[in-house]
Structure formats: C-alpha cells, structure tokens
Amino acid sequence: MYVKSYFCTFKLLILKRNYMSTLRFQAIKETLGREPIHVEEPARRSTIFGKNVFNEAAMRQFLTKDSYNSVIDATVNGSKIDRNIADHISTGMKEWAITKGATHYTHWFQPLTGSTAEKHDAFFETTDDGQAIEKFGGGQLVQQEPDASSFPNGGIRNTFEARGYTAWDPTSPAFLYGTTLCIPTVFVAYTGEALDNKTPLLRSLQVLDTAATSVAKYFDKNVTKIIATLGWEQEYFLIDKAMATSRPDISLTGRTLLGHESAKGQQLDDHYFGSIPTRALDYMRDLETECMLLGIPVKTRHNEVAPNQFELAPIFEEANLAVDHNSLLMDIMEKVAERHHFKVLFHEKPFKGINGSGKHNNWSLSTNTGVNLLSPSKTPKRNLQFLTYFINTIKAVNDHEELMRSSIASANNDHRLGANEAPPAIISVFIGSQLTKALDELEKVTNGKLSPEEKTDLKLNVVGKIPEILLDNTDRNRTSPFAFTGNKFEFRAVGSTANCATPMTVLNSIVAKQLIDFKKSVDALIDKKKMKKDDAIFNILREYVKDSKRIRFEGDGYGEAWEKEAKKRGLSNNKSTPEALKAKVSEKTIALYEELNIMSRVEIEARYEIKVEEYAMRIQIEGRVLGDIARNHVIPTAIKYQNRLIKNVQGLKDIYGSGFKKLSKEQMKLIEKISEHIEKINMGITDMIEERKKANKISSLEKRAAAYCDKVKPYFDVIRYHCDKLELLVDDELWPLAKYREMMMIK
Ligand code: ADP
Ligand code: MG
C-alpha cells in the first residue's frame, strides 16, 4: 500500500515537474514521501512510569524523613512548609534532578493566556572564591520573581503597580522535562491577586473539600477529605508539517480560514475507531512513552470521527494534577509532533464541514476512604449518599448554567458549540431513564416527617432500586453538554484548546456553594423541625429535584425543538463568546466567588477583561490573515488562470475567426465568473477592513469585542465563500494552498 502511494506520488511529481516550485507541491512531495519513523515500545510501560517525576518513591530516596513528611502533609492536608525544611527539600530535589542530567530549573506556571510559562535558571553558580558549584536553595524552590510584565493581567498589576511572583504548589509534583527541573507553581501579584488559572482552582478545590466533607459526615464519620477527580479526553488533528507550513492560516491561527471541502470527508464514518494510520501510531507511541516518563497515566488512544482526528485519554487523577498534566501533555504533543514532521492542531474547528475537537472533562468526587461519591452502589444508605451529591450537582448546574456556559466560551469554541456535531450553547443535564425514574419518585416524598411505611418504600423501591451499574449507560446521548455517565459527570462542551482549570474552577465552586446551602437547610430541619436526618435529607432533595427540573433534558440537544423548549424553560442560549462571557462578571458570580473566597471582584473583572480582549484580538488576527491570503494568494492565482483562459479564447479567435464565439462559450463564462468572484472578495475585504477600523476605535473592550463579533466576523463567510468557489474553478496545478483532501492524506 505504501509502495503504491509512493508510485502515485512519483507519477504526480513528473506531471507537476514544471510547477514544483510552489510551496503546495513541495508540501505534497514531502508528505507523501515521508516514511513512518517506527518507534520502539519500551518493554513494559509500567517500568518507566513516573521515572522523571519527583514522586513519593524519589522523595523517599532523596529527602530526609522530616522533609518527606512535610511534603506529604502539605499535599494531603494543605499545611505550610517550614522555610528550613524547604532548604532540605530543595537540596534533595536538586540532587535527584542532577543525577538524571538536569542543568536548569524553572518555576512552571499557567498564566492567563491559558498556556504554560517557564523561565529557566541554571543550577550552576560561582562562589566568592571563583569555584563553580551546583546550587538550588529553599528560597529558589519556594518563591521566584519572573519578569512577567508582559503576561496578561487585566489591569491588576497596572493598577497596583505590583510585580508578580511564583510560589511552589507542593500538591503537584516537580518533574524533569528534557534537562530542566520543572516546579509547578502558582503566579500571584504582590498585592495578593491571582494572575494565573491555578490559584483559583486550588482555592475552589479547598472550598469544595470542606463543603463536601461536612455533608459526607451525615453518612460516614470517617470521611475527612474529599477530592475532585478529573479525567479529560483530548481530541486533536495531525497534519503533515509541510502542509501546515504551506498555509499561512494554519500557521498563524491554527485553523483553515478558507478551503473547499473534500469530495470525501467523514460521510462514510470510516475513520471513527478504524485502524490508526501507521505514521500517526508511531507518533502516539512516542508521545505515550514521554507521557509515561512524566507520570501522565495515558490509557486510551483511538481515531475520532473526522479524517486525521484522534483522541487521547488518561486514567483520571486528582483535579489539580490532572489540569497540570493536560497542560503539560499539550506541550509534549507539540514537541513530539516536530520529531514526526507533524503539526498537531488543537483548534476547536480547524476544518470547515469536518467535526471539530473537544476536551470532555469527566468529573467526580472521591473520599479519603476510597468511595466515588457519584457511583451508585448496592446499599440504600450508600445510594442516599450518592443521590445527595448527584442531585446537588444538578441543582448547582441549574442555578449557575450561564456561568458554566461562560467557562467554556472562546472564539474557537464558538465554531463548535451549536454546530451539528457538538453540544449546543445551551447548558442542560442528561441523566438517563433509570435515574430520571428515581428522581420522579423522590419528587413525591411527603412534605415534613416521613411515615415508617414511606421510608421503607423509599429504601426498597427508590434508593434501593438504583442499580450499581446503570444499564442505559448514558453514553447513548452524545448531544448533551453535561451528561451523567454512570459514575461521573462529563462536561462535554469544553473546547480542545481550553485549560481545564477554568471550567473545573466553576464546577467545583458552584457545587461547593450548593453543598454549603444543602447542609444549612438539612441542619435547619433537624434542629428546628426536629426531623430525623434521613427525613430532612429527603425533604431537601425533593425540593431540589423540583427546582432543577428545567435543566434536565434527555432529548436531542442538536435539534431546533430544544432551542425553543429551552427558551420556554428560561435557560440561557448565549451563542457568541462576547454574549456568553458577561456571566463571568455578573453580580451573582461576583457574590458567589467572594462568599467562597475563591476570587475577589478585582480578580474576576481582570479575567473578564482578558477574555474579552483576547476574543477581539483573535478575530482581528483572523481577519487580517484571511484578507492577506485572499489578496496575495487567491486573487493573483485566479487572475493567472483567467489570463490563460483569455489567451485560449484569443487563440481560438485567431484560428477560427468569427466561429470562435461558439467554441469559447464556456471559457468566456469562466472568465466572467472569475471576475465576479474576485470582485466580491475584494469588496468583502475592503468592507471588513472598514469595520475593523471602526471596531479598533471603540475604547470599551466589551463593545469592541461585540463589534468584532457582529460586524467584522460575518465577512469571513462571504470572503471564504468566493475563495472556495475559485478553488473549484481554477486549474489545480496553479492553486498555491494545500487542499483539504491533501491535508487528510496521512497514511
Ligand atoms: P468514554 O466512553 O467517554 O470514552 P471512559 O469510560 O473511557 O468513557 O472514560 C472517559 C474518561 O473518564 C477517562 O479519562 C477516565 O479517566 C474518566 N473517568 C472515569 N472515572 C472517573 C472518575 N471517577 N472521575 C473522573 N474521571 C473519570
Ligand atoms: Mg467521553
């Protein structure tokens, strides 16, 4: 098969010899000529797992007992690490890293750009007497001051004129990346405001722990800590590096701004779960080895729906670590792609007419006693506990659906949400028929104290009937943005480029707030109405089931009928990012975060400002790139082809005299059509630039983003439409940009 394709290429190359100079044909040649690399599998993956992580095993070896205990205590209980101990830890960490070949260290953090940042410093230092030594003190471990004035800060540091510092987060272990020791850190302004995504996440996890643990005491006094667990699923595309380089839109924006759909796309569904192309498989193996070394527990890999689209998912972990691992993974994916001459596309919608990419966030709660709180069980008692967390989560999403929507809003994700392949911009919760039945029964619980008969009935027929394994495993409904899938909730609307910290912070916070309210209400019934604990819980859950009915939806989330129905139910449907983001700064949101001490008004407003500005900038960049490609690539190519046609018509005239008209009828039509498309493209670009100019003059960031969304962006479709028509008309050998079918030809 490989030989065959190589021969085809060879033929193609001979045919195209005269035009080989264009980037596109160079790219085709490179892509088709590329041999897979064939990566060796390490004998047993388990033997390399976590080898480059300063994990418990490494700490036991390199730390004193006191130091070790204090790191574990900080990880488990969030206790502070003494400065003297920090000196010991840093020495041990340095020794470990140096024995593994490290030369540098960095504080690794996640600024509000959503990606990761690092500044490397060498361990190497000179002493007063000119000796060279390897040094890394506790101070350098615990706190650093990166020159970070160019990170987005939403005005926080301008206002306070404060610098930022990074501080060690012992809950996420240090790791060795290449020859650099990376220390996961938070990034905070000297005035105390968080300048990163991690700090609010850590705060939300702590608040959730406290709230969820106090509720767990109703059921089991031994529960002293509850963690949120996250298992993300990363979707991505692979295209050949040479193809990507031939397209300025992919290079600069991560997606194709024009390009006609291929005659064969994903219609036949022959890629989904099909055999993985050899080159891609080699890439995955190499990637997975890197992940294993770094302690990222990658587990599944498979083809996705679209050609060249794949997915990778790990075993779930504690949410903070899982977020770090996802950020790290995206970085590793890009680096490994270089080795394999691939470009990995994380964009939510790289290709028109082909499925986009998401990053499902599977979320649950787990106790220190090893119980998954969102997993139904055999005993009615456990199931009442399950229902408590299950219903509280649904209620939380019901009360804060708009904030949930805002947590996944981005210019990229706008292309995906509401398109026919991804969840709609309306947040709803899917739970499946068995649990729907259970909640319907709960709704009938008597108001006030329950009779012994009713209690028995509930225990036997409602709570007791929730099976351990839900048969209609809710995966059947892929159209829901937030689905219960047997033992966890799956937030599916998250985009593939997203930093999971943002949606996870929202989910943790709203569930924490909900559990606090639940505890208060149940305690009030117990204290004031002298109800039994179980009666009180049933009474409050009944109210929640009633109050959150509108958010539950079991039908087709892609259908138009749901849009209408959702509107009736009063659910928000914020289709564009500027609209959706507003919920981030609503008074309701500010009250929520301030009450829980997760973010202050300043921190919330700063994040909003950054998001809104980023949106406008993204659309601005896309507009510029599209205008450039259309004017510098597409129009000149169309004119070149038109000139050939004109020459042809002239030639026919020379030979046939007045008979040429009949013979050149179709050519003439083509010549005119090309002119029409060129005119439309040019007009579109001129008008788009006018709108950009107007938008740039708007000083309010919010209004500017809205202008980019409503006034500038609509021209993209117009310009693209005419460019794509030209792609179909113009001689293939002249076309300068890699075509859809060519980008999808990885074998
Ligand atoms: P899917 O059909 O969606 O691929 P899987 O069972 O393969 O479902 O799981 C998908 C993801 O859910 C994986 O990343 C897995 O780690 C995660 N997951 C499973 N259990 C939990 C849990 N208790 N908490 C968080 N994530 C979980
Ligand atoms: Mg899934």
Side-chain angles (χ1 to χ4, degrees), residues 695-715:
N696 292 341
K697 286 199 189 110
I698 303 173
S699 56
S700 145
L701 288 175
E702 185 174 296
K703 289 195 177 126
R704 194 189 305 161
Y708 266 100
C709 180
D710 303 330
K711 300 283 184 322
V712 177
K713 209 168 127 235
Y715 285 103

Side-chain angles (χ1 to χ4, degrees), residues 229-233 313-316 362-364 372 475 478 487-488 490:
T229 51
L230 163 64
W232 38 262
E233 302 165 57
I315 297 169
F316 66 92
N362 296 273
W363 174 93
S364 190
N372 175 356
D475 241 8
R478 304 299 292 178
N487 56 3
K488 60 194 184 282
E490 181 168 348

Side-chain angles (χ1 to χ4, degrees), residues 297-334:
V298 287
K299 177 102 172 140
T300 38
R301 59 176 179 216
H302 61 80
N303 288 353
E304 261 302 326
V305 177
N308 286 28
Q309 192 189 25
F310 308 97
E311 181 186 295
L312 177 153
I315 297 169
F316 66 92
E317 300 175 283
E318 186 279 323
N320 176 42
L321 185 60
V323 169
D324 280 1
H325 277 167
N326 181 251
S327 296
L328 182 58
L329 171 93
M330 289 170 79
D331 198 54
I332 303 169
M333 284 177 82
E334 282 178 341

Side-chain angles (χ1 to χ4, degrees), residues 366-605:
S366 181
T367 67
N368 60 307
T369 52
V371 174
N372 175 356
L373 292 169
L374 289 175
S375 189
S377 114
K378 282 199 192 84
T379 65
K381 188 177 162 206
R382 271 275 181 83
N383 273 345
L384 183 57
Q385 172 171 294
F386 158 73
L387 279 175
T388 298
Y389 289 95
F390 177 69
I391 294 169
N392 270 290
T393 305
I394 298 172
K395 173 77 162 51
V397 175
N398 176 72
D399 293 0
H400 297 279
E401 46 94 17
E402 228 175 342
L403 182 60
M404 287 283 279
R405 162 68 182 102
S406 77
S407 76
I408 45 133
S410 74
N412 295 357
N413 215 11
D414 280 358
H415 295 287
R416 200 176 142 254
L417 299 181
N420 280 341
E421 73 205 57
I426 308 161
I427 299 292
S428 64
V429 181
F430 176 88
I431 60 170
S433 61
Q434 283 164 302
L435 286 166
T436 301
K437 238 191 253 158
L439 296 202
D440 287 347
E441 289 299 320
L442 268 186
E443 231 187 290
K444 297 179 196 151
V445 167
T446 310
N447 197 354
K449 286 181 189 165
L450 275 62
S451 68
E453 295 76 33
E454 189 180 5
K455 253 193 239 179
T456 313
D457 184 55
L458 272 172
K459 276 193 181 145
L460 287 179
N461 295 324
V462 183
V463 187
K465 281 243 170 91
I466 298 171
E468 213 176 338
I469 295 167
L470 297 163
L471 288 179
D472 64 330
N473 199 321
T474 43
D475 241 8
R476 278 197 209 142
N477 189 332
R478 304 299 292 178
T479 67
S480 176
F482 195 79
F484 184 71
T485 48
N487 56 3
K488 60 194 184 282
F489 279 102
E490 181 168 348
F491 194 8
R492 296 192 181 125
V494 184
S496 45
T497 56
N499 182 319
C500 307
T502 311
M504 287 298 101
T505 302
V506 168
L507 189 54
N508 295 337
S509 305
I510 63 176
V511 173
K513 161 79 178 139
Q514 181 53 49
L515 290 170
I516 292 169
D517 291 350
F518 172 75
K519 177 97 182 15
K520 268 189 216 149
S521 306
V522 170
D523 286 349
L525 290 187
I526 295 172
D527 294 344
K528 294 195 189 111
K529 298 260 164 85
K530 304 293 171 223
M531 271 193 200
K532 286 243 170 63
K533 187 183 72 191
D534 281 3
D535 292 9
I537 291 174
F538 274 122
N539 267 275
I540 300 298
L541 290 184
R542 179 197 59 232
E543 292 310 301
Y544 287 176
V545 170
K546 281 193 207 159
D547 293 348
S548 57
K549 252 185 155 170
R550 63 166 195 159
I551 200 77
R552 274 162 46 202
F553 179 62
E554 304 285 303
D556 178 9
Y558 296 175
E560 252 178 62
W562 170 228
E563 270 199 55
K564 283 197 194 122
E565 170 65 22
K567 196 169 176 190
K568 262 199 233 150
R569 295 189 189 185
L571 294 171
S572 69
N573 185 6
N574 297 325
K575 288 189 172 164
S576 76
T577 293
E579 246 183 283
L581 287 177
K582 287 182 186 152
K584 274 188 188 286
V585 277
S586 69
E587 285 306 316
K588 188 173 161 188
T589 302
I590 294 173
L592 169 80
Y593 282 134
E594 290 204 323
E595 181 191 332
L596 301 178
N597 277 324
I598 288 170
M599 281 192 274
S600 67
R601 183 179 285 269
V602 175
E603 288 172 313
I604 297 164
E605 284 171 353

